[in-house]
Structures are given as C-alpha cells and as structure tokens.
Amino acid sequence: MSTMFHWIVLAVLTVEASSKCTKCFPDGFLWGAATSAYQVEGAWNTSGKGENIWDWFTHTYPEKIANGSNGDVAADSYHKYEEDVDLIKNLGANFYRFSLSWSRILPNGTVDQINQDGVDYYLALLKLLKANNLEPVVTIYHWDLPLPLQELGGWANTAISDYYADYATLCYSLFGEYVTYWITLNEPITQCYYGYGDGTHAPGIAESGTATYQCAHTQLLAHAKAYRSYNDSFRDTQNGKVGIVLVSLYYEPLTDSEEDKAAADRGVQWALGLFGHPIFVGNWPQVVIDRVANVSAVQGFNESRLPSFTDEEVALINGTQDYLGFNYYTTYYGTSIPNVDVIEQTTISYGVDRDVISSVNSNWTQSAASWLYDVPEGFRGMLNWAKQQFGNPDILVTENGWADDLSTLNDTERITYIQGHLCNLLKAIYLDEVKVFGYTHWSLMDNFEWANGYTEGFGLVAVNFTDPDRTRTPKNSYYYLQDIIASNCLSNCPFSS
C-alpha cells in the first residue's frame, strides 16, 4: 500500500467514524439561553421600580456578597435589551428565557399599584423577540420578592401565595398574547434553602428545618393558584403552557450498599421530589413525610415540622403542569450521616432530616464555582429519575451550564461541559425515551451570581462590569453552541448504552 493510498483510506475511515458518532436532535427541538431580572437588568430604583429583597439584602448586608457587590447596574439589560436580543438571535436560538421583576411591575407587590414604565419595558422586550421570530419563555418569579411582601413574612407566610396569584394573573392579562411558555417559579428549593434555611441568600433567614419547609409549602400553593388561574381565565384564548422550574443535584450512591442507595435517593427527594411529587403525584414524597415526622417527634415536637397539606390543597396542587422545567448542573456521591440518630436529637435542620453526606470523585473537573463539577452522566441519570418518578412528563431543560472565573474568552472547559451534557441528553432522549423537547443554556451572559457576586460567570457572552457601557463579547462557547444549533446535531457522541 502506497503512503498516499494509506492516508486516503485513513481519512475515509476517520470521516466515517466521526459520522457514526454524530447524533442529531429531534426535528423541532428548541434551543435557547436564559437570564433572570435581578441578575442582569440593573436600573434597580429607576422608572418606578420598587425595592425587592435582593436590593435590600445586598445594600443592608454587603459583607454577605463577594466583594460587597450588588445588582444595582448588573449587565444593564434594562437599557441594553436590544443588544441582548441580537445576541440570542445571532446564536441561532429559538427562544429566550428571562424573568419578570415583580417589583418593577408592582412596586408594592400588590395589584392596586401598577408601574406602567415596567409594563412598557417588558412589552417592548416581548414585541422585539416576536419580531425576531424568538419565542419568549417567561419566568414570572425568580427569587426577587417585593420588599413590602417580605415585611409580611415573605414565603414563610401562606398569604403570600394569594399575592403571587394576583401578580401572575396580571402578567397573563398584560403579556399573555406574546407568551406560549410560562414558568411560575424558578428553583423554589434554592430560595427556600438558601433564603430561609442557611440565610446566605435574600431574605437571609436562617431557620433550616422550619422556615425552609414553610417556604416550600407556600410556594407550591402559589404555583398551583397561578396555574389554576391560567386554566380558568386564559388558556382558551392564549393557548399557552404553564410549568415550574425544579432543580436538584443528582446523587450516586457512594457504595453499592442499600443504605447508600437510599441516601442517594433521599438527596434527590429532598429537592426535586419535594416540589415535583406534590405536582405530579400528589402530596410530599412519603419518605419526606415519614422522616420529618419521626425526627420531629424525637425532638419533642407535638407535630411534624413539615406543614401538612389539606385534602383540598393536595387536589389544588396535583396536576398543575403542562411541562416540567428542569435544571441540572452537577452530581455528587451520597451516603448517610454517621450517628445521625444522635445528632437529630438536638439539631433541627433540613440537612439532618435529609441525612445525606455529599462527596466527589477526585477525577471530576471542578469549575470556578466550588460546588460545580463536570459529571455529564449525572444529567442522564437525573432525567431518568424525573421520568420514573413523575410519569414521563414533557421536559424543557431550562438551565444547564458551567462557571468560569471571568478571565478568558477561550472557555474550553465550558465547551467540554456542553458537549458531554448534550451527548447524555441525546442518550436520554433516544435510549431512555425521556421526553425532552428543548435545551436552555445558563446563561446567555455573565451576570450577578447572587452571593458570589461578580467572581464567577456562567455566560456564553462576557460582560465587562468595569465598563460603564457593560460591553458584551461572545466567548468561544457561544460560537460552539451556535454551530450545534445551526446543524441541530452533535459530533463525537457515540452511543452504546
């Protein structure tokens, strides 16, 4: 065999192998990227906007935020939304997921005072998206409760569910003609744990094991009331879909022991299950009901620290979904807490109730966010968990992403993360028959990352936060995802099982 012929044959075989490893997403698969209001909008006290809990929290406790930063200006999307729409359009995306600022629309949180400037801002954004053939995926609430409602007790007060339902109903009436996909709440477990459990997020309440569950109870009622409102008054004319965005770490058992398998399942039940089970199945997960009741009794409580749903509330919440919004970032190993029976006698804690110790594999790549590791197989595992637990619902992946330290546009680790996760998403769709109809990257651009401020970024697009103009520059991952979207296919994704 001549040298030239050898290289020709090798080239043909390489192309064929590459082709066999290229898998395409289903026809009509949706692609998008996401942001949230407080993280990108800025304009915190202009044009009639009221104060929300993150405005208050970052101004009152700057020491709780990295570098004492805040979202007062953030990425200044309030003034630069047209540029953001161009970025989404040039990405080739089908949709843009963003959130409405409750206090920008209702400065006091209540529908008796509507801020027309806020309404006009969102109408302009919605109309511009539609003019560019981009579907708005609208999150009604993404953690930024109006401060006056926090002063009533916030999400620990069940009355807030009625204020929220009024707000959601107003949003349907104001914006519904432009919106097909609504999201009621973003990651309620994250706000209920960090905002009402360990106190590191707004509103800074550290009452783990009590307020955490009260918050969950109220947010589920809020979601259900908002869903029922859409069903009763808007579905026939607007023909939209209403879902909720849930999140969990995925857990693999540390060993093959039954104890570790149970611990891994609890790790997911206390997050995805805590909110998904009442919506898709009815009531809290039984393992959560039983364990919190037992630990509460050991601690001397007359009743469980987990609020009970009435039969009417179970019926109100159950079935309130047209699709599941699904966020996945990373995976851990799970095992039980040693001597938990001793600890639980004196420690009132969501973590003790859950009874899971998390650990990682030293070979996993860690991101600039200390909690985030690249474990793409967990994405497939988490999707299958949701399928099995919730009756194989339609799923829109509403967040998935990687954190960098804001130092480079050559974000190779993010590209590796995207490739691995999309490959496992394809396996979940084709091998496991999970009904995923779209993928959203978190996030479109670098933004204010809550307690971590501007020390890390998840963006496909870099933002210069020291430039008054908040200049945006696409990273290499932006162009990588752009190519995937254009072809609707992913290379280097071999299927076995």
Side-chain angles (χ1 to χ4, degrees):
M1 180 185 295
S2 72
T3 301
M4 179 61 72
F5 183 71
H6 171 82
W7 282 112
I8 291 172
V9 171
L10 181 60
V12 170
L13 291 174
T14 301
V15 169
E16 288 180 349
S18 176
S19 177
K20 290 178 181 178
C21 291
T22 296
K23 300 293 188 295
C24 293
F25 290 84
D27 291 343
F29 191 80
L30 302 178
W31 296 94
T35 61
S36 85
Y38 184 78
Q39 292 178 275
V40 300
E41 280 183 2
W44 80 275
N45 64 347
T46 61
S47 302
K49 178 184 166 295
E51 189 174 11
N52 66 46
I53 56 173
W54 273 96
D55 297 322
W56 170 82
F57 187 69
T58 57
H59 297 155
T60 306
Y61 302 108
E63 70 278 5
K64 294 189 176 184
I65 310 298
N67 299 326
S69 55
N70 55 56
D72 288 3
V73 179
D76 199 23
S77 287
Y78 186 78
H79 298 105
K80 296 175 71 70
Y81 71 91
E82 293 175 334
E83 191 171 338
D84 298 342
V85 172
D86 283 342
L87 287 166
I88 282 283
K89 182 179 181 180
N90 292 335
L91 182 65
N94 308 108
F95 67 88
Y96 178 34
R97 181 191 166 205
F98 65 94
S99 77
L100 305 172
S101 167
W102 189 340
S103 56
R104 192 176 297 285
I105 297 168
L106 301 175
N108 295 325
T110 55
V111 294
D112 58 328
Q113 182 181 343
I114 299 172
N115 176 33
Q116 192 60 44
D117 283 351
V119 172
D120 290 344
Y121 167 69
Y122 291 117
L123 284 173
L125 173 56
L126 288 164
K127 291 176 181 178
L128 184 61
L129 288 167
K130 299 297 277 189
N132 285 276
N133 296 313
L134 292 164
E135 193 68 48
V137 175
V138 179
T139 306
I140 299 172
Y141 179 76
H142 197 126
W143 306 353
D144 49 358
L145 189 72
L147 189 60
L149 298 185
Q150 184 59 47
E151 292 169 348
L152 299 178
W155 292 108
N157 178 359
T158 55
I160 300 302
S161 66
D162 291 319
Y163 290 106
Y164 172 82
D166 290 343
Y167 161 57
T169 300
L170 177 66
C171 292
Y172 300 146
S173 65
L174 291 171
F175 310 123
E177 66 177 293
Y178 304 102
V179 181
T180 300
Y181 294 100
W182 290 101
I183 293 165
T184 55
L185 306 171
N186 177 77
E187 291 189 9
I189 185 57
T190 306
Q191 179 156 70
C192 291
Y193 180 75
Y194 291 106
Y196 290 81
D198 75 358
T200 56
H201 281 195
I205 295 170
E207 297 180 11
S208 179
T210 52
T212 299
Y213 298 131
Q214 293 163 5
C215 171
H217 179 251
T218 302
Q219 292 210 351
L220 279 163
L221 291 174
H223 159 78
K225 291 173 182 178
Y227 182 91
R228 300 298 181 189
S229 173
Y230 193 84
N231 257 9
D232 294 344
S233 303
F234 300 95
R235 188 178 297 278
D236 288 345
T237 55
Q238 296 182 1
N239 298 310
K241 297 180 182 296
V242 180
I244 188 171
V245 165
L246 303 183
V247 68
S248 178
L249 301 170
Y250 187 58
Y251 279 91
E252 291 281 1
L254 182 62
T255 71
D256 288 333
S257 71
E258 293 304 313
E259 292 79 7
D260 284 359
K261 290 177 182 177
D265 185 66
R266 287 196 304 274
V268 184
Q269 291 285 8
W270 253 258
L272 198 65
L274 194 69
F275 292 89
H277 201 278
I279 293 169
F280 289 91
V281 183
N283 215 332
W284 307 110
Q286 195 62 46
V287 65
V288 177
I289 294 173
D290 293 343
R291 176 143 177 84
V292 179
N294 292 338
V295 177
S296 297
V298 167
Q299 294 166 343
F301 287 85
N302 293 325
E303 59 184 13
S304 176
R305 289 179 279 101
L306 181 72
S308 297
F309 291 116
T310 65
D311 290 344
E312 292 78 12
E313 288 173 339
V314 170
L316 176 74
I317 298 167
N318 190 15
T320 53
Q321 52 79 29
D322 299 319
Y323 67 97
L324 171 61
F326 181 89
N327 294 357
Y328 170 83
Y329 285 91
T330 198
T331 290
Y332 288 91
Y333 294 128
T335 191
S336 295
I337 300 171
N339 301 315
V340 69
D341 55 334
V342 176
I343 298 170
E344 66 191 23
Q345 294 179 30
T346 57
T347 304
I348 299 170
S349 164
Y350 167 97
V352 171
D353 293 341
R354 192 180 70 143
D355 183 19
V356 181
I357 289 180
S358 302
S359 60
V360 300
N361 189 316
S362 60
N363 292 324
W364 292 344
T365 302
Q366 185 179 27
S367 77
S370 61
W371 56 271
L372 174 53
Y373 296 81
D374 186 1
V375 193
E377 298 82 4
F379 192 17
R380 181 182 177 187
M382 191 77 261
L383 287 164
N384 273 278
W385 193 97
K387 172 190 174 182
Q388 293 158 9
Q389 293 278 324
F390 302 151
N392 199 16
D394 291 333
I395 294 175
L396 174 62
V397 175
T398 39
E399 290 182 28
N400 177 242
W402 182 256
D404 61 47
D405 64 3
L406 308 178
S407 66
T408 181
L409 299 177
N410 184 24
D411 52 345
T412 55
E413 287 186 351
R414 178 172 290 109
I415 290 171
T416 299
Y417 180 95
I418 292 171
Q419 197 282 332
H421 283 73
L422 288 181
C423 183
N424 276 273
L425 176 56
L426 280 164
K427 292 176 181 179
I429 292 171
Y430 288 117
L431 300 181
D432 309 325
E433 299 182 342
V434 182
K435 297 192 294 185
V436 181
F437 65 89
Y439 173 87
T440 317
H441 187 83
W442 181 271
S443 56
L444 174 62
M445 70 191 87
D446 292 335
N447 53 49
F448 178 81
E449 282 298 334
W450 310 112
N452 293 313
Y454 302 102
T455 62
E456 60 192 38
F458 286 77
L460 298 167
V461 177
V463 177
N464 185 345
F465 293 107
T466 64
D467 182 348
D469 195 44
R470 295 302 194 266
T471 304
R472 286 126 160 83
T473 308
K475 304 176 188 178
N476 287 354
S477 59
Y478 177 94
Y479 299 109
Y480 174 74
L481 186 57
Q482 184 183 62
D483 288 343
I484 293 172
I485 294 172
S487 66
N488 203 44
C489 298
L490 182 72
S491 61
N492 193 26
C493 183
F495 278 17
S496 54
S497 62

